[in-house]
PDB file of all heavy atoms in Angstrom:
ATOM      1  N   PHE X 555     -19.834 -13.306  -4.987  1.00 98.00           N
ATOM      2  CA  PHE X 555     -21.292 -13.500  -5.068  1.00 98.00           C
ATOM      3  C   PHE X 555     -21.646 -14.982  -5.014  1.00 98.00           C
ATOM      4  O   PHE X 555     -22.485 -15.414  -4.215  1.00 98.00           O
ATOM      5  CB  PHE X 555     -21.812 -12.847  -6.354  1.00 98.00           C
ATOM      6  CG  PHE X 555     -23.293 -12.978  -6.529  1.00 98.00           C
ATOM      7  CD1 PHE X 555     -24.167 -12.085  -5.916  1.00 98.00           C
ATOM      8  CD2 PHE X 555     -23.843 -14.005  -7.294  1.00 98.00           C
ATOM      9  CE1 PHE X 555     -25.554 -12.212  -6.064  1.00 98.00           C
ATOM     10  CE2 PHE X 555     -25.213 -14.127  -7.449  1.00 98.00           C
ATOM     11  CZ  PHE X 555     -26.071 -13.229  -6.835  1.00 98.00           C
ATOM     12  N   LEU X 556     -20.999 -15.790  -5.862  1.00 98.00           N
ATOM     13  CA  LEU X 556     -21.369 -17.214  -5.942  1.00 98.00           C
ATOM     14  C   LEU X 556     -21.114 -17.940  -4.621  1.00 98.00           C
ATOM     15  O   LEU X 556     -21.932 -18.740  -4.174  1.00 98.00           O
ATOM     16  CB  LEU X 556     -20.615 -17.903  -7.086  1.00 98.00           C
ATOM     17  CG  LEU X 556     -21.001 -17.475  -8.511  1.00 98.00           C
ATOM     18  CD1 LEU X 556     -20.197 -18.244  -9.542  1.00 98.00           C
ATOM     19  CD2 LEU X 556     -22.499 -17.644  -8.773  1.00 98.00           C
ATOM     20  N   TYR X 557     -19.953 -17.656  -3.977  1.00 98.00           N
ATOM     21  CA  TYR X 557     -19.653 -18.338  -2.709  1.00 98.00           C
ATOM     22  C   TYR X 557     -20.630 -17.892  -1.619  1.00 98.00           C
ATOM     23  O   TYR X 557     -21.193 -18.723  -0.912  1.00 98.00           O
ATOM     24  CB  TYR X 557     -18.209 -18.087  -2.265  1.00 98.00           C
ATOM     25  CG  TYR X 557     -17.207 -18.982  -2.960  1.00 98.00           C
ATOM     26  CD1 TYR X 557     -16.435 -18.520  -4.012  1.00 98.00           C
ATOM     27  CD2 TYR X 557     -17.050 -20.315  -2.575  1.00 98.00           C
ATOM     28  CE1 TYR X 557     -15.526 -19.340  -4.665  1.00 98.00           C
ATOM     29  CE2 TYR X 557     -16.141 -21.150  -3.214  1.00 98.00           C
ATOM     30  CZ  TYR X 557     -15.384 -20.659  -4.262  1.00 98.00           C
ATOM     31  OH  TYR X 557     -14.491 -21.479  -4.904  1.00 98.00           O
ATOM     32  N   LEU X 558     -20.843 -16.561  -1.496  1.00 98.00           N
ATOM     33  CA  LEU X 558     -21.711 -16.068  -0.423  1.00 98.00           C
ATOM     34  C   LEU X 558     -23.138 -16.630  -0.575  1.00 98.00           C
ATOM     35  O   LEU X 558     -23.709 -17.168   0.377  1.00 98.00           O
ATOM     36  CB  LEU X 558     -21.744 -14.525  -0.442  1.00 98.00           C
ATOM     37  CG  LEU X 558     -22.768 -13.878   0.493  1.00 98.00           C
ATOM     38  CD1 LEU X 558     -22.452 -14.195   1.958  1.00 98.00           C
ATOM     39  CD2 LEU X 558     -22.817 -12.361   0.318  1.00 98.00           C
ATOM     40  N   VAL X 559     -23.697 -16.514  -1.783  1.00 98.00           N
ATOM     41  CA  VAL X 559     -25.086 -16.941  -1.982  1.00 98.00           C
ATOM     42  C   VAL X 559     -25.198 -18.458  -1.790  1.00 98.00           C
ATOM     43  O   VAL X 559     -26.124 -18.947  -1.130  1.00 98.00           O
ATOM     44  CB  VAL X 559     -25.601 -16.492  -3.369  1.00 98.00           C
ATOM     45  CG1 VAL X 559     -27.008 -17.023  -3.631  1.00 98.00           C
ATOM     46  CG2 VAL X 559     -25.592 -14.972  -3.463  1.00 98.00           C
ATOM     47  N   SER X 560     -24.246 -19.218  -2.321  1.00 98.00           N
ATOM     48  CA  SER X 560     -24.328 -20.685  -2.188  1.00 98.00           C
ATOM     49  C   SER X 560     -24.204 -21.099  -0.723  1.00 98.00           C
ATOM     50  O   SER X 560     -24.899 -22.020  -0.278  1.00 98.00           O
ATOM     51  CB  SER X 560     -23.221 -21.359  -2.998  1.00 98.00           C
ATOM     52  OG  SER X 560     -23.309 -20.950  -4.328  1.00 98.00           O
ATOM     53  N   ILE X 561     -23.317 -20.420   0.029  1.00 97.00           N
ATOM     54  CA  ILE X 561     -23.160 -20.787   1.447  1.00 97.00           C
ATOM     55  C   ILE X 561     -24.468 -20.523   2.200  1.00 97.00           C
ATOM     56  O   ILE X 561     -24.983 -21.388   2.900  1.00 97.00           O
ATOM     57  CB  ILE X 561     -21.981 -20.011   2.087  1.00 97.00           C
ATOM     58  CG1 ILE X 561     -20.643 -20.532   1.552  1.00 97.00           C
ATOM     59  CG2 ILE X 561     -21.997 -20.134   3.615  1.00 97.00           C
ATOM     60  CD1 ILE X 561     -19.421 -19.728   1.964  1.00 97.00           C
ATOM     61  N   LEU X 562     -25.055 -19.309   2.000  1.00 97.00           N
ATOM     62  CA  LEU X 562     -26.257 -18.978   2.776  1.00 97.00           C
ATOM     63  C   LEU X 562     -27.513 -19.689   2.254  1.00 97.00           C
ATOM     64  O   LEU X 562     -28.508 -19.786   2.954  1.00 97.00           O
ATOM     65  CB  LEU X 562     -26.463 -17.469   2.835  1.00 97.00           C
ATOM     66  CG  LEU X 562     -25.415 -16.714   3.652  1.00 97.00           C
ATOM     67  CD1 LEU X 562     -25.802 -15.269   3.847  1.00 97.00           C
ATOM     68  CD2 LEU X 562     -25.179 -17.354   5.023  1.00 97.00           C
ATOM     69  N   GLN X 563     -27.452 -20.171   1.026  1.00 97.00           N
ATOM     70  CA  GLN X 563     -28.569 -20.970   0.496  1.00 97.00           C
ATOM     71  C   GLN X 563     -28.613 -22.326   1.223  1.00 97.00           C
ATOM     72  O   GLN X 563     -29.661 -22.932   1.381  1.00 97.00           O
ATOM     73  CB  GLN X 563     -28.345 -21.191  -1.003  1.00 97.00           C
ATOM     74  CG  GLN X 563     -29.511 -21.811  -1.730  1.00 97.00           C
ATOM     75  CD  GLN X 563     -29.157 -22.080  -3.194  1.00 97.00           C
ATOM     76  OE1 GLN X 563     -28.010 -22.419  -3.515  1.00 97.00           O
ATOM     77  NE2 GLN X 563     -30.132 -21.920  -4.073  1.00 97.00           N
ATOM     78  N   ASN X 564     -27.440 -22.795   1.657  1.00 96.00           N
ATOM     79  CA  ASN X 564     -27.337 -24.141   2.243  1.00 96.00           C
ATOM     80  C   ASN X 564     -27.141 -24.174   3.751  1.00 96.00           C
ATOM     81  O   ASN X 564     -27.457 -25.174   4.381  1.00 96.00           O
ATOM     82  CB  ASN X 564     -26.159 -24.884   1.599  1.00 96.00           C
ATOM     83  CG  ASN X 564     -26.468 -25.289   0.173  1.00 96.00           C
ATOM     84  OD1 ASN X 564     -27.144 -26.285  -0.046  1.00 96.00           O
ATOM     85  ND2 ASN X 564     -26.023 -24.484  -0.789  1.00 96.00           N
ATOM     86  N   PHE X 565     -26.563 -23.079   4.320  1.00 95.00           N
ATOM     87  CA  PHE X 565     -26.181 -23.156   5.743  1.00 95.00           C
ATOM     88  C   PHE X 565     -26.543 -21.891   6.509  1.00 95.00           C
ATOM     89  O   PHE X 565     -26.676 -20.809   5.946  1.00 95.00           O
ATOM     90  CB  PHE X 565     -24.660 -23.335   5.881  1.00 95.00           C
ATOM     91  CG  PHE X 565     -24.087 -24.487   5.124  1.00 95.00           C
ATOM     92  CD1 PHE X 565     -23.449 -24.277   3.907  1.00 95.00           C
ATOM     93  CD2 PHE X 565     -24.190 -25.776   5.627  1.00 95.00           C
ATOM     94  CE1 PHE X 565     -22.910 -25.336   3.204  1.00 95.00           C
ATOM     95  CE2 PHE X 565     -23.648 -26.846   4.921  1.00 95.00           C
ATOM     96  CZ  PHE X 565     -23.004 -26.632   3.709  1.00 95.00           C
ATOM     97  N   GLN X 566     -26.611 -22.089   7.816  1.00 95.00           N
ATOM     98  CA  GLN X 566     -26.608 -20.974   8.749  1.00 95.00           C
ATOM     99  C   GLN X 566     -25.192 -20.926   9.317  1.00 95.00           C
ATOM    100  O   GLN X 566     -24.652 -21.978   9.695  1.00 95.00           O
ATOM    101  CB  GLN X 566     -27.598 -21.287   9.856  1.00 95.00           C
ATOM    102  CG  GLN X 566     -27.916 -20.086  10.655  1.00 95.00           C
ATOM    103  CD  GLN X 566     -29.316 -20.193  11.243  1.00 95.00           C
ATOM    104  OE1 GLN X 566     -30.052 -21.143  10.967  1.00 95.00           O
ATOM    105  NE2 GLN X 566     -29.676 -19.223  12.047  1.00 95.00           N
ATOM    106  N   VAL X 567     -24.625 -19.738   9.378  1.00 95.00           N
ATOM    107  CA  VAL X 567     -23.208 -19.633   9.787  1.00 95.00           C
ATOM    108  C   VAL X 567     -23.133 -19.037  11.187  1.00 95.00           C
ATOM    109  O   VAL X 567     -23.786 -18.024  11.470  1.00 95.00           O
ATOM    110  CB  VAL X 567     -22.448 -18.715   8.801  1.00 95.00           C
ATOM    111  CG1 VAL X 567     -20.976 -18.646   9.148  1.00 95.00           C
ATOM    112  CG2 VAL X 567     -22.642 -19.179   7.374  1.00 95.00           C
ATOM    113  N   SER X 568     -22.349 -19.658  12.059  1.00 93.00           N
ATOM    114  CA  SER X 568     -22.213 -19.082  13.412  1.00 93.00           C
ATOM    115  C   SER X 568     -20.846 -19.424  13.998  1.00 93.00           C
ATOM    116  O   SER X 568     -20.150 -20.316  13.514  1.00 93.00           O
ATOM    117  CB  SER X 568     -23.307 -19.636  14.323  1.00 93.00           C
ATOM    118  OG  SER X 568     -23.125 -21.035  14.452  1.00 93.00           O
ATOM    119  N   ALA X 569     -20.505 -18.688  15.063  1.00 92.00           N
ATOM    120  CA  ALA X 569     -19.257 -18.999  15.786  1.00 92.00           C
ATOM    121  C   ALA X 569     -19.563 -20.153  16.729  1.00 92.00           C
ATOM    122  O   ALA X 569     -20.687 -20.274  17.198  1.00 92.00           O
ATOM    123  CB  ALA X 569     -18.823 -17.785  16.578  1.00 92.00           C
ATOM    124  N   PRO X 570     -18.580 -21.019  17.011  1.00 86.00           N
ATOM    125  CA  PRO X 570     -18.822 -22.100  17.978  1.00 86.00           C
ATOM    126  C   PRO X 570     -19.251 -21.501  19.314  1.00 86.00           C
ATOM    127  O   PRO X 570     -18.797 -20.413  19.675  1.00 86.00           O
ATOM    128  CB  PRO X 570     -17.443 -22.763  18.102  1.00 86.00           C
ATOM    129  CG  PRO X 570     -16.695 -22.362  16.893  1.00 86.00           C
ATOM    130  CD  PRO X 570     -17.229 -21.046  16.456  1.00 86.00           C
ATOM    131  N   GLU X 571     -20.152 -22.222  20.013  1.00 83.00           N
ATOM    132  CA  GLU X 571     -20.702 -21.659  21.252  1.00 83.00           C
ATOM    133  C   GLU X 571     -19.588 -21.269  22.223  1.00 83.00           C
ATOM    134  O   GLU X 571     -18.632 -22.021  22.415  1.00 83.00           O
ATOM    135  CB  GLU X 571     -21.623 -22.689  21.908  1.00 83.00           C
ATOM    136  CG  GLU X 571     -22.946 -22.063  22.309  1.00 83.00           C
ATOM    137  CD  GLU X 571     -23.890 -23.118  22.793  1.00 83.00           C
ATOM    138  OE1 GLU X 571     -23.803 -23.485  23.978  1.00 83.00           O
ATOM    139  OE2 GLU X 571     -24.667 -23.585  21.945  1.00 83.00           O
ATOM    140  N   GLY X 572     -19.721 -20.097  22.800  1.00 81.00           N
ATOM    141  CA  GLY X 572     -18.723 -19.639  23.772  1.00 81.00           C
ATOM    142  C   GLY X 572     -17.508 -18.985  23.129  1.00 81.00           C
ATOM    143  O   GLY X 572     -16.722 -18.338  23.816  1.00 81.00           O
ATOM    144  N   ASP X 573     -17.337 -19.150  21.817  1.00 82.00           N
ATOM    145  CA  ASP X 573     -16.168 -18.544  21.129  1.00 82.00           C
ATOM    146  C   ASP X 573     -16.518 -17.136  20.678  1.00 82.00           C
ATOM    147  O   ASP X 573     -17.619 -16.903  20.193  1.00 82.00           O
ATOM    148  CB  ASP X 573     -15.833 -19.329  19.852  1.00 82.00           C
ATOM    149  CG  ASP X 573     -14.925 -20.495  20.153  1.00 82.00           C
ATOM    150  OD1 ASP X 573     -14.812 -20.847  21.343  1.00 82.00           O
ATOM    151  OD2 ASP X 573     -14.361 -21.052  19.196  1.00 82.00           O
ATOM    152  N   LYS X 574     -15.557 -16.214  20.847  1.00 81.00           N
ATOM    153  CA  LYS X 574     -15.763 -14.889  20.249  1.00 81.00           C
ATOM    154  C   LYS X 574     -14.783 -14.784  19.093  1.00 81.00           C
ATOM    155  O   LYS X 574     -13.593 -14.976  19.252  1.00 81.00           O
ATOM    156  CB  LYS X 574     -15.505 -13.806  21.307  1.00 81.00           C
ATOM    157  CG  LYS X 574     -15.441 -12.414  20.741  1.00 81.00           C
ATOM    158  CD  LYS X 574     -16.260 -11.403  21.518  1.00 81.00           C
ATOM    159  CE  LYS X 574     -16.209 -10.005  20.919  1.00 81.00           C
ATOM    160  NZ  LYS X 574     -16.262  -9.874  19.509  1.00 81.00           N
ATOM    161  N   ILE X 575     -15.332 -14.518  17.896  1.00 84.00           N
ATOM    162  CA  ILE X 575     -14.430 -14.428  16.738  1.00 84.00           C
ATOM    163  C   ILE X 575     -13.610 -13.146  16.827  1.00 84.00           C
ATOM    164  O   ILE X 575     -14.168 -12.069  17.066  1.00 84.00           O
ATOM    165  CB  ILE X 575     -15.246 -14.464  15.429  1.00 84.00           C
ATOM    166  CG1 ILE X 575     -15.981 -15.791  15.371  1.00 84.00           C
ATOM    167  CG2 ILE X 575     -14.357 -14.210  14.233  1.00 84.00           C
ATOM    168  CD1 ILE X 575     -15.953 -16.516  14.104  1.00 84.00           C
TER     169      ILE X 575
END
Side-chain angles (χ1 to χ4, degrees):
F555 180 84
L556 292 181
Y557 279 101
L558 171 63
V559 176
S560 304
I561 289 172
L562 292 189
Q563 189 184 35
N564 288 280
F565 306 101
Q566 194 152 356
V567 183
S568 63
E571 228 173 84
D573 274 15
K574 169 133 181 40
I575 298 225

